[in-house]
Amino acid sequence: MIEVKEIIKRFGRKTVLDGVSFTAEKGQITCLIGVNGMGKTTIMNAIMRLTPIQDGEILVDGKEVTKDTFEKIVFIPDATIMLPNFTIDQAMDFMNDFYQNWNQKRADEMLSFFKLNRADKISSLSKGNTAKVNLMLGLAVDADYILMDEPFSGIDIFSREQIAEVFTSHLIEDRGVLITTHEISDIEHLIDKVVLLNDGQIQKEFMTEEVRENEGKSVIDVLREVYFQ
Amino acid sequence: MKNFVKLMNFEWNRVARLIFILMIFTFVVQLIGVFFETAKYMSNVENLQRNEGYTYRQILDRYGYFSFSNVTNSLLFFGPIFIGIGGILFYIFLIWYRDWFGKNTFVYRLLMLPTERINIFFAKLATIFIATLSLVAFQLIIMHIEMFVMKQQIPEELLFEMPVTYILGTDYFLSIIAPSNLDMFFILYGAGILLVSVLFTAILFERSYRLKGIVLGLGYVGMSLILMLSPILINEFILNRYFYNWELALLTIAVGLALLFLSIWMSKRLLDQKIRV
Amino acid sequence: MGCEQENMAIQFNNRDPVYVQVVHYFKMRIARGFLQSGDVIPSRRELANQMKINPNTAQRAYKEMEEEGLIKTEKNQPSQVTHDQAVLAKVRNELIDEAVTQFVDSIKSINVPLEDAKKLIEKRYGEEEGER
């Protein structure tokens, strides 16, 4: 379980996260939704210790995040984080070099599913294919938790469909996934849990099926209530 | 440790091409320098021979021997060395900033590797060190070639031959780049490593606190400078030259080592807790 | 509508629980005869992939169907549609009942007399048969 507890993050005098707490469980897809601005990405960066927080704590399986945690939790940002002059092959070698949990079989499987060419340079790829390589490099690590920042933003519809399909496969199964998005419609049926972030605070945390079952509301209905009441 | 070696190898591969280009550039320009200087000397010699009927004896009285110093004092010789030094200084900054800027922010990947983040610092430091040593070693090798070329251009009677080691010992500038005794080597390259560590720490201050970090970084560099000079200053102005020179030297080395550890400790703290992507 | 034998794509609506919609989908297939007693159904992983839903949801749907007796799963065996004809008949009745209730509700809400409705149904039913 990823536990975010009362974290406070300020940029200068601006408070971006004001006592944010939520959990993301293993075996579930948790979606962090925020209509406006920062916050979501900052939370992911904070979990991965890529930005300092002013207060609060973040635990993964009950422990603070250290270098060993990075074998268990993988972050896929919305930009490529590999050297542009690397080929896909070289990028995989790099990952294999540093991650004990790198699973080449999975990587190969995803390469063929996404129809990627391993000799291609990363800088030469289309936006959609770049996102797929990003996803492949993250998911091929046998990590328990995957963080994904806006995996659907700015890419073509077919790439979106392919990526959504990954969420229904064994590549995601049994792992804990935390995903941010501002376009919920792509994945409304895929997610287990929603965490609503607004103005640096958590407005609501709910299980999608429960809300549908008990209140007959879609995720968007709930969003509408929270943001426009 | 294994991860440090992998990271260093990785960093080295990123800069190797640049170093290689610098080497070729240096070699080509310095060779041109050899040809230019020898041709200049020989045209003077031939002029005197043809127009004035000078003998070698008389020419030597007028112009002196041609030695490799004629080459090393040429802009075409030390120019490329300065460019190399400039390149290394520039790369001290680039080696960090290239990971943050550009479309692909590689620093995410680096910071998320399942290894101690200070290894990134050490890998980059080692890369700068190795790059410098490679350039120096290359310079020493090509000096032999350049000397050989020089000998082909100048008649034996006009040539004052000296071995490369002699040139390194006597040329002030070259003796800093390639110290001829081991103590000097350790002191100079130790000072180099210290300087790069301090600069790295300043860069990490900037990367952690951004605008405020520039002030902190500059402050850190300033403090380091004062700290390094403090034994000398204290001895001079407060203690009235109480210490012998060798004691002062030891003291300075001790302060330098302390500063090195402080920089590493500070960098580790910044990388682990304060760094921003 | 009649020939989606292997195509599992369904349009989900956003307001009903996805697992309920999946269960309903299976009931429809049973009622239509595409799925018959003893037929093997996909594993929950396959189902999640084919329907593009979360594996947890597929799991939930299967659990629900097992509880209703619609399918049964022996240890380490793929799930099968039940042999219990009573359950299958019940599914059919349930769906018919549901459809009729819905129809009657909407007809009533616009005050259509029963006689008119009957005529309309007979007329339409004939047309549909003719088309087939």
Side-chain angles (χ1 to χ4, degrees):
Chain A
M1 187 167 59
I2 301 173
E3 293 168 90
V4 173
K5 291 181 177 173
E6 290 293 317
I7 60 171
I8 292 179
K9 170 73 185 176
R10 281 185 285 267
F11 284 120
R13 264 176 292 172
K14 196 167 163 232
T15 304
V16 182
L17 300 176
D18 191 6
V20 165
S21 303
F22 68 91
T23 61
E25 230 114 335
K26 221 183 142 190
Q28 289 185 356
I29 300 174
T30 303
C31 188
L32 197 54
I33 303 178
V35 172
N36 47 356
M38 306 185 282
K40 290 170 290 176
T41 305
T42 307
I43 290 174
M44 298 217 157
N45 284 343
I47 294 173
M48 300 309 280
R49 289 187 163 272
L50 296 170
T51 196
I53 48 175
Q54 274 70 44
D55 201 7
E57 98 184 308
I58 295 166
L59 302 177
V60 173
D61 288 341
K63 284 185 219 134
E64 283 213 1
V65 176
T66 63
K67 69 178 169 72
D68 301 318
T69 320
F70 292 146
E71 289 273 5
K72 286 203 337 199
I73 182 167
V74 167
F75 178 29
I76 306 169
D78 66 343
T80 330
I81 54 170
M82 258 302 159
L83 293 188
N85 57 340
F86 266 12
T87 62
I88 295 177
D89 245 338
Q90 284 174 312
M92 293 193 297
D93 282 346
F94 180 88
M95 295 298 283
N96 188 29
D97 255 355
F98 285 99
Y99 289 87
Q100 286 175 353
N101 285 347
W102 176 257
N103 183 337
Q104 189 59 45
K105 238 181 76 193
R106 268 196 183 177
D108 292 339
E109 197 184 319
M110 266 183 284
L111 283 184
S112 59
F113 174 73
F114 285 141
K115 298 192 172 56
L116 294 166
N117 182 2
R118 41 174 75 229
D120 281 350
K121 264 193 177 186
I122 287 176
S123 58
S124 73
L125 298 175
S126 68
K127 256 191 161 173
N129 279 349
T130 308
K132 289 172 196 166
V133 169
N134 235 359
L135 199 68
M136 181 275 288
L137 291 174
L139 290 179
V141 176
D142 278 331
D144 293 340
Y145 301 96
I146 315 275
L147 312 184
M148 288 185 219
D149 196 12
E150 299 279 357
F152 300 102
S153 81
I155 54 173
D156 61 283
I157 173 81
F158 302 111
S159 299
R160 282 219 296 266
E161 277 178 6
Q162 271 191 314
I163 289 175
E165 199 158 325
V166 168
F167 283 80
T168 68
S169 72
H170 65 283
L171 294 165
I172 289 291
E173 204 181 357
D174 298 331
R175 308 209 214 180
V177 177
L178 180 63
I179 175 174
T180 71
T181 187
H182 58 271
E183 299 163 71
I184 182 70
S185 47
D186 279 324
I187 51 166
E188 176 146 9
H189 299 124
L190 292 176
I191 55 186
D192 293 287
K193 183 178 180 178
V194 171
V195 177
L196 282 187
L197 186 73
N198 192 28
D199 284 336
Q201 289 179 324
I202 301 296
Q203 298 290 333
K204 206 169 170 144
E205 197 177 347
F206 61 92
M207 306 298 289
T208 52
E209 289 282 79
E210 275 174 25
V211 163
R212 291 188 197 111
E213 181 137 46
N214 302 335
E215 302 173 38
K217 287 174 189 156
S218 71
V219 173
I220 297 193
D221 290 337
V222 180
L223 290 190
R224 204 171 283 127
E225 278 174 16
V226 169
Y227 292 115
F228 301 109
Q229 63 188 323
Chain B
M1 190 61 195
K2 221 171 74 195
N3 279 328
F4 161 71
V5 175
K6 283 182 204 160
L7 272 172
M8 189 181 69
N9 180 43
F10 168 76
E11 288 286 353
W12 171 252
N13 286 336
R14 290 170 88 188
V15 74
R17 213 168 64 182
L18 195 79
I19 297 294
F20 186 67
I21 291 169
L22 261 178
M23 286 174 172
I24 300 293
F25 172 79
T26 304
F27 189 41
V28 169
V29 174
Q30 289 188 346
L31 262 188
I32 293 172
V34 171
F35 284 118
F36 180 77
E37 289 300 325
T38 53
K40 201 171 76 185
Y41 182 84
M42 283 316 287
S43 87
N44 285 336
V45 168
E46 277 156 21
N47 262 337
L48 287 178
Q49 279 180 316
R50 200 177 318 124
N51 303 336
E52 322 268 335
Y54 272 39
T55 62
Y56 279 158
R57 179 91 252 141
Q58 290 167 304
I59 290 169
L60 283 177
D61 286 340
R62 177 101 171 243
Y63 287 123
Y65 285 102
F66 188 91
S67 78
F68 200 66
S69 306
N70 294 51
V71 175
T72 55
N73 288 331
S74 155
L75 178 69
L76 288 169
F77 183 85
F78 63 76
I81 297 179
F82 273 123
I83 289 174
I85 293 170
I88 293 282
L89 281 175
F90 180 63
Y91 199 69
I92 288 173
F93 291 87
L94 191 65
I95 202 172
W96 287 100
Y97 285 101
R98 70 185 297 178
D99 290 335
W100 265 270
F101 296 130
K103 218 177 76 199
N104 303 40
T105 36
F106 190 65
V107 68
Y108 278 85
R109 180 89 282 148
L110 279 182
L111 293 177
M112 293 192 299
L113 289 178
T115 179
E116 292 288 348
R117 285 179 179 174
I118 194 68
N119 278 335
I120 301 168
F121 177 97
F122 288 136
K124 288 184 190 298
L125 182 65
T127 301
I128 297 284
F129 185 67
I130 293 170
T132 310
L133 277 187
S134 309
L135 284 177
V136 170
F138 182 76
Q139 179 64 68
L140 297 185
I141 293 167
I142 61 174
M143 270 170 81
H144 287 92
I145 301 172
E146 288 158 6
M147 226 173 242
F148 176 78
V149 173
M150 174 193 76
K151 282 183 205 160
Q152 310 306 307
Q153 312 296 317
I154 308 282
E156 220 174 306
E157 294 85 345
L158 299 176
L159 198 61
F160 184 78
E161 277 193 62
M162 36 188 185
V164 169
T165 45
Y166 179 79
I167 297 166
L168 293 179
T170 49
D171 190 299
Y172 177 71
F173 175 60
L174 287 175
S175 69
I176 292 179
I177 293 175
S180 42
N181 72 55
L182 211 57
D183 291 354
M184 240 5 226
F185 176 85
F186 278 118
I187 287 175
L188 284 171
Y189 278 82
I193 287 172
L194 177 60
L195 173 72
V196 176
S197 303
V198 169
L199 289 178
F200 275 9
T201 310
I203 291 167
L204 289 175
F205 266 118
E206 192 279 327
R207 287 290 84 198
S208 297
Y209 297 99
R210 303 292 150 96
L211 228 57
K212 228 178 8 174
I214 296 178
V215 180
L216 290 169
L218 287 176
Y220 187 76
V221 172
M223 183 215 75
S224 303
L225 213 66
I226 293 168
L227 209 63
M228 282 312 292
L229 292 175
S230 64
I232 297 171
L233 295 178
I234 290 171
N235 188 46
E236 193 75 19
F237 299 112
I238 300 176
L239 299 177
N240 277 320
R241 302 188 184 175
Y242 169 81
F243 290 121
Y244 292 114
N245 274 347
W246 66 269
E247 287 176 324
L248 207 57
L250 272 185
L251 219 65
T252 306
I253 289 171
V255 171
L257 278 176
L259 186 60
L260 182 66
F261 283 116
L262 178 70
S263 296
I264 293 168
W265 177 81
M266 200 64 189
S267 296
K268 180 171 161 49
R269 240 184 92 81
L270 290 171
L271 278 169
D272 283 343
Q273 293 171 19
K274 299 294 179 194
I275 201 78
R276 275 157 65 174
V277 292
Chain C
M1 192 68 191
C3 51
E4 24 88 273
Q5 192 67 30
E6 275 320 305
N7 183 10
M8 296 279 249
I10 28 174
Q11 272 300 323
F12 291 108
N13 76 63
N14 294 335
R15 292 196 170 86
D16 291 318
V18 177
Y19 85 91
V20 171
Q21 297 183 57
V22 172
V23 172
H24 192 260
Y25 173 80
F26 271 94
K27 286 181 175 170
M28 291 292 277
R29 283 176 71 88
I30 289 170
R32 286 199 182 124
F34 291 141
L35 273 178
Q36 295 181 344
S37 61
D39 279 358
V40 169
I41 59 169
S43 74
R44 68 190 178 103
R45 181 188 275 178
E46 287 161 358
L47 184 83
N49 211 263
Q50 286 166 5
M51 289 193 163
K52 316 242 178 297
I53 53 171
N54 185 318
N56 290 331
T57 310
Q59 166 70 20
R60 176 90 192 267
Y62 276 26
K63 202 178 142 221
E64 191 70 21
M65 289 195 283
E66 270 163 14
E67 277 170 11
E68 288 188 34
L70 222 52
I71 59 170
K72 56 181 192 334
T73 314
E74 304 289 338
K75 259 196 186 127
N76 299 323
Q77 292 283 316
S79 300
Q80 288 182 319
V81 178
T82 183
H83 287 285
D84 189 339
Q85 293 303 324
V87 172
L88 296 180
K90 212 185 98 199
V91 165
R92 201 180 148 76
N93 289 336
E94 201 181 291
L95 288 175
I96 295 170
D97 188 58
E98 191 184 313
V100 171
T101 308
Q102 227 175 48
F103 173 73
V104 171
D105 279 353
S106 39
I107 288 288
K108 266 190 178 167
S109 72
I110 47 172
N111 302 320
V112 181
L114 180 60
E115 281 308 309
D116 293 4
K118 269 188 189 167
K119 270 181 209 153
L120 262 169
I121 293 173
E122 274 161 14
K123 189 164 166 257
R124 265 297 153 77
Y125 217 92
E127 277 173 18
E128 289 276 312
E129 290 287 293
E131 269 175 28
R132 283 215 173 155

